[in-house]
Amino acid sequence: MGYCPNTPDDIRDMLAVIGAASVEELFAPIPADLRAKSFDLPPGMSELELMRLMREKAASCGADITPFIGGGIYDHFIPAAVDHLSSRAEFYTAYTPYQPECAQGTLQALYEYQTTICRLTGMEASNASLYDGGTAVAEAALMSLRITDRHKVILDGSVNPLHREIVTGYLHGLSAEAVAVAPDGCASDLAHLMAAIDDETAAVIVQSPNFFGSVQDFRELAQKAHDHEALLIVSCYPIAMGLVASPGEMGADIAVGEGQSLGNPLSFGGPYFGFIATRKRFIRNLPGRIVGETVDHQGRRGFVLTLQAREQHIKRHKATSNICSNQSLCALRGLIFCASLGEKGFGELAQLNYDKAQYAKSVLGAVRGVDLLNDGATFNEFTLALPKDAAEVVQRLLDQGVAAGVPLGQYYPGMERALVVTVTEKRTKDEIDRLAALLEEVLWS
Amino acid sequence: MELIFEKSVSGRTGVRVPLSDVPKAAPLADAVRRRDPVRLPEVGELDLVRHYTNLSRRNFSVDTNFYPLGSCTMKYNTKVTENAGGLFASCHPMLALLPGGDKLVQGPLAIVYELERQLAEITGMEEVTTQPLAGAHGEMTGIMVIAAYHKARGDQKRKYVIVPDSSHGTNPASAAMAGYEIVTIPTAPYGDMDLDLFRQAMSDEVAAVMLTCPNTLGLFNPHIAEICAIAHEGGALTYYDGANLNAILGKVRPGDVGFDVIHVNLHKTFGTPHGGGGPGSGPIGVRGDLVRFLPTPRVVRRGDGSYGVEDHPEGIGRVSDFFGNFGIMARAYAYITLLGREGLIEVSEQAVLNANYMMARLKEEYELPFDQTCMHECVFSASRQLEHGVHAIDVAKYLIDRGFHPPTVYFPLNVKEAIMIEPTETESKQTMDAFIEVMLEAARMAKENPERLHQAPVTTPVGRLDETRAARMQQVCCE
Ligand SMILES: Cc1ncc(COP(=O)(O)O)c(C=O)c1O
């Protein structure tokens, strides 16, 4: 029942060695008045019955909906090799590589992952993963407080609102301040962000592409932050890195993001992984595990967990973060995804996302009464202004089997008619055209 | 082995990107365009598959080796639950947050809801949230809930969280991240947090006390109800680190004892795989009057039996993007459903039996600092071996040569040269006997041929690695 292999004979022999009369006797250290008052669970079942039950649940999970939704999580294709290789039990049934000699598989893979993240983001040092995109932004904010010994971060309103909520929660406990700067339309309000930076500012946090899909140049913002010895934190969408300037190119000091789009299935919200990378001089302030290269006594190259004196198991309450288990297996998937595509393929994939979104922009923007709200460049998401309440439109289109986008009203009061539409490489021209036709119908008939 | 980057050959391609069915768009503006392509390895698919298959073979894992890593509950991960967890791959979480979207994702919402109910029953708490993404994240969430509780009562002066010195490092780290100062209480000679020192440390400035039970020595602390009472008397709340729940399923429910907040590690007790370091999942449960502070959103069951997503306005906000590490939660839900009541009780009984057997057979040769019936794990000290110059790490490395993953070593910090063994319930007596033989052999070797232990491991692709060099070089990615 509990996958316990010991036979009654084994159990008898073991009890004899222990010197106990029964298994129950081993629970004698638990005082009687502390015993469970209830344990009301149904009896177990067979594999067959379990899978029947689980399939029933999986039948109602929106699998037949065509998604034009993103919001930080994207419906990208996943090469078959990603599933096959990450399903190797030697990877997925191991744990944290504390004993490096028998964990070189995990350690080398994580080192390759760190390299991949550095190359994507244009940074010099990555850790071995964080929980998710939102907590990665929060960890970056905390990191900037430590580096600058200041207590204020400036949080751009065009950063993913779910992530902003997490950041604010993390900062709240530490009595640090998050100064919100509202976006200007669909773009970061660079003038106001720059005006908000002063000598108390630890960091400015922006996102590229932002929640509205806009892509902006943050070089001037980086300069202004650096003039005040503050940091620039850029949260980025890794697939976009095949086409859009990286945080490193824009002068960021810390790059973070949600890694889901790199080979991790949607899976109703997780598991995914967060990534964080920085300049080499800030490496000791990174949260979480880091894998480093070294050699054994014979000079053979090997990999180990390094700079552990930052971490909770050594530093306890003085650690750079409380994170212990991270999202290694998801990071491994991210690595294999990137390596499957390679340099050329990754660029092509980004270009394809861009081309499809540009096409969608043109046909959706041509629907009567619909306007495009982004002023400048976008990657694979953009924001439409509808002539009606966007939430209502989305709800009606869901009945037609299409998730048309994320209505902005719930996150940006006053933007009730705005809709963020996402177009990945998986959306076909036919699906895009159908969305345009359905939108026309819902708006005007 | 070469890095995948070192196997790269310019012009070689792996997987094919889909062809475009739309016109090529005008190029992205220069100012926001990436200058150089991302330098990713260019390898064929077979190269890729061989590379990662061969890398995987350089790992010990539960499926290949006995893995008695203390405090980590490295039990067998059932395969049917892997299949079950993968059924939801194409479900977009944003659907649940769209207006009218909840009706499309009733299946996964039901799983979140039912898993929360199962865990509430197992732990004896009123309600559970699955949002935290690992144990440490659960701890931080729990302490944030406790902070919100004190704040709502206008009780602003509480600035300390008490932890025993044997606690896992995440406990103090999580409380610090939630804004508290830490007070550490030493372990008494009887193996638990010193009660007198705890009493002295209690004051109206203490927000919470965090306990692990069974503690990190594998011992059940018989004073936990008393500790809860003392804490509550002083207006503090009690936090139960449930990482060691595998010992007490159906035996003890922290909620019944008087704990206010608990986290559980689905990747330990509830059989989900450890993924080479994660993903895990760290749901928290709370007592009735703390429910309103749980993170937003909440999955609810409506009168008509359908499931919905509701804002939780008084809560501490969001601690992760959606509903937690759902794929892991679905596996845990499947595991609990598969084993059922009796199966879960058997888990704890056999886990405790196995650990006591291990303890009984090894204590002749290894120092047992707290010689009493243990729960799911036992902690030895290599202090006798140290007399011959052999450290816990030397024993650990020798085990690798003999095909066993080492136990946890040097934790808990309050035991010198600690060797922490957690066999789990899924191992047979025969497997444990083989491990015990090698442990006894290592003890003999410590006396007769310590050099062999110092040299270990010799069978692995690399020998002991130079960690000082790694820390000095800080080479964390390839050029
Ligand atoms: C006793 C104890 N508490 C807390 C944790 C932290 O859990 P996680 O690694 O899931 O964050 C662990 C595990 O590593 C543990 O053993």
Side-chain angles (χ1 to χ4, degrees), chain A residues 95 324-325, chain B residues 71 134-136 139 168 170 212 216 241 243 263 265 267-268:
Chain A
Y95 203 14
C324 178
S325 293
Chain B
S71 207
E139 293 166 15
H168 196 262
T170 52
T212 308
T216 55
D241 177 334
H263 85 261
N265 297 53
H267 48 300
K268 295 178 181 171

Side-chain angles (χ1 to χ4, degrees), chain A residues 38 40 106 112 119 294 316, chain B residues 52 59 121 167 256 466 479:
Chain A
S38 157
D40 186 14
T106 294
E112 293 177 1
R119 291 183 178 190
T294 186
R316 298 176 71 83
Chain B
Y52 291 105
N59 268 4
E121 176 62 21
S167 68
D256 294 341
D466 186 344
E479 298 308 321

Side-chain angles (χ1 to χ4, degrees), chain A residues 79-89 91 333 336, chain B residues 49 53:
Chain A
V82 175
D83 278 334
H84 280 267
L85 293 169
S86 66
S87 300
R88 294 279 305 183
F91 282 134
R333 293 182 67 98
I336 298 172
Chain B
V49 167
T53 302

